[in-house]
Amino acid sequence: GHTHLGHIIENVVIQKALWQKAAASPDITLLAPAKLKQAVRGENEAFVTLDDDRMLSGRLLVGADGAHSWLRHHADIPLTFRDYGHHALVATIRTDEPHNDCARQVFHSDGILAFLPLWQPDLCSIVWSLAPEKAEQMKYLDEAQFNYQLAIAFDSRLGRCNVESEREVFPLTARYARSFAAH
């Protein structure tokens, strides 16, 4: 019964909005750029030393520092991970027909192709899951050949497709922290 299941928002837009909101909040002190050098646990609080030797303390230390978390590593929280055996080829695509704010996926025997609507009615972000060697091959195809292969894979559901950005390839790996809290 909901009109929307979610929204596709570019990471740079989310980051900018978060920075602006944090900078405007009287309850937040931004220390940037800064990196953690050391984190130790006291009886009732955590103590951190930054790379410029500033020291901070707090009752709760949250590590929201990504897949290769420095804090998770130093808190000795183990990871379980699994390689999917595929790489994601990502790019921004301009289509002849509007996406109408609808995400679309095509499932092939060798991978999945997703068209995710962006802010302009004819722009989509694609995530194309392929075998690693195929993803690398597609990344380096000339633009016309890439557009042709994309049209075949997507069955021209939104008309002609033209790549508008650099094509990037990332390995698809699942990572799960075995615990989400530690002393």
Side-chain angles (χ1 to χ4, degrees), residues 134-151:
K134 179 73 172 177
E136 286 295 323
Q137 175 191 0
M138 295 298 286
K139 178 180 178 177
Y140 294 109
L141 281 179
D142 69 62
E143 198 171 296
Q145 189 61 30
F146 178 82
N147 293 339
Y148 177 74
Q149 292 295 323
L150 185 61

Side-chain angles (χ1 to χ4, degrees), residues 51-157:
D51 62 350
D52 63 5
D53 291 327
R54 283 183 286 176
M55 296 180 75
L56 308 167
S57 66
R59 293 184 52 94
L60 178 66
L61 179 59
V62 176
D65 51 344
H68 304 289
S69 170
W70 182 95
L71 188 57
R72 183 187 61 239
H73 174 75
H74 284 82
D76 292 324
I77 297 175
L79 271 183
T80 298
F81 59 93
R82 179 171 59 102
D83 185 349
Y84 285 115
H86 270 205
H87 285 186
L89 182 142
V90 297
T92 300
I93 305 299
R94 187 170 304 278
T95 59
D96 277 351
E97 297 175 27
H99 51 62
N100 296 319
D101 295 325
C102 182
R104 294 165 173 84
Q105 283 185 296
V106 180
F107 297 85
H108 294 283
S109 61
D110 63 345
I112 301 167
L113 172 58
F115 270 64
L116 308 170
L118 292 174
W119 70 98
Q120 290 182 16
D122 61 346
L123 281 183
C124 292
S125 177
I126 63 162
V127 180
W128 198 348
S129 170
L130 296 162
E133 58 280 352
K134 179 73 172 177
E136 286 295 323
Q137 175 191 0
M138 295 298 286
K139 178 180 178 177
Y140 294 109
L141 281 179
D142 69 62
E143 198 171 296
Q145 189 61 30
F146 178 82
N147 293 339
Y148 177 74
Q149 292 295 323
L150 185 61
I152 291 171
F154 197 58
D155 198 24
S156 298
R157 284 177 171 82

